[in-house]
Amino acid sequence: MSQHFGHDVLIIGSGAAGLSLALMLPDNLRIAVLSKGPLGDGSTPRAQGGVAAVLDDRDTVDSHVQDTLVAGAGLCNVEAVRFTVENSRTAIQWLIDQGVPFTREESPDEDSGFAFHLTREGGHSHRRIIHDADATGAAIFDTLLGKAR
């Protein structure tokens, strides 16, 4: 019987997408994540601001889709926008479950249904930007990299 020294899965890219995929694959797989340079040199750790998602119970998928299409000035693929927005809350909850230290609301508003601080940025009609101060990309990257290691 021959021994298997390789990997079952090769992921090219060590940013948020690559690390998320690595963490979502079954534990029994041998996974390699290939980076084009030193870990942390990509764009994910440099992302500031935050991530837009429908997180407040007073916000809606349709409102977020409409805001995105208006801001996209006719360049957006409507189906891709709708898919992304419809899955935004689940994706953010997955990041929270991984331990990403998003900024919490000092005095949670019971009407919003969410305990994290949300900001409203250009092009958005609701407060839907979840963040970690102004270093959200670094918080996401550091958390996912720690879990992947």
Side-chain angles (χ1 to χ4, degrees):
M1 184 161 133
S2 67
Q3 287 186 300
H4 178 68
F5 292 105
H7 292 90
D8 300 308
V9 178
L10 172 63
I11 298 171
I12 300 173
S14 60
L19 293 173
S20 294
L21 174 59
L23 292 169
M24 290 180 185
L25 290 171
D27 290 340
N28 65 320
L29 296 176
R30 291 179 38 89
I31 302 164
V33 177
L34 183 64
S35 182
K36 66 181 174 186
L39 293 172
D41 272 3
S43 58
T44 299
R46 290 174 174 71
Q48 297 173 331
V51 182
V54 178
L55 302 168
D56 185 322
D57 290 342
R58 296 170 292 201
D59 195 4
T60 66
V61 167
D62 287 337
S63 175
H64 191 170
V65 167
Q66 184 59 34
D67 290 348
T68 303
L69 295 176
V70 168
L75 300 174
C76 299
N77 176 295
V78 177
E79 293 80 21
V81 169
R82 180 159 292 281
F83 177 84
T84 302
V85 173
E86 285 175 346
N87 290 282
S88 63
R89 188 173 194 136
T90 301
I92 293 298
Q93 187 59 56
W94 183 83
L95 289 171
I96 292 167
D97 293 345
Q98 300 311 303
V100 175
F102 292 115
T103 302
R104 291 197 171 265
E105 190 66 69
E106 288 181 27
S107 317
D109 176 0
E110 292 181 20
D111 292 335
S112 76
F114 204 65
F116 293 87
H117 184 259
L118 300 175
T119 62
R120 181 176 168 195
E121 294 181 358
H124 294 281
S125 60
H126 289 83
R127 294 170 56 94
R128 61 173 69 111
I129 311 301
I130 189 168
H131 60 95
D132 177 30
D134 201 25
T136 305
I140 291 170
F141 178 77
D142 292 345
T143 301
L144 297 180
L145 181 61
K147 299 270 299 187
R149 283 188 163 153

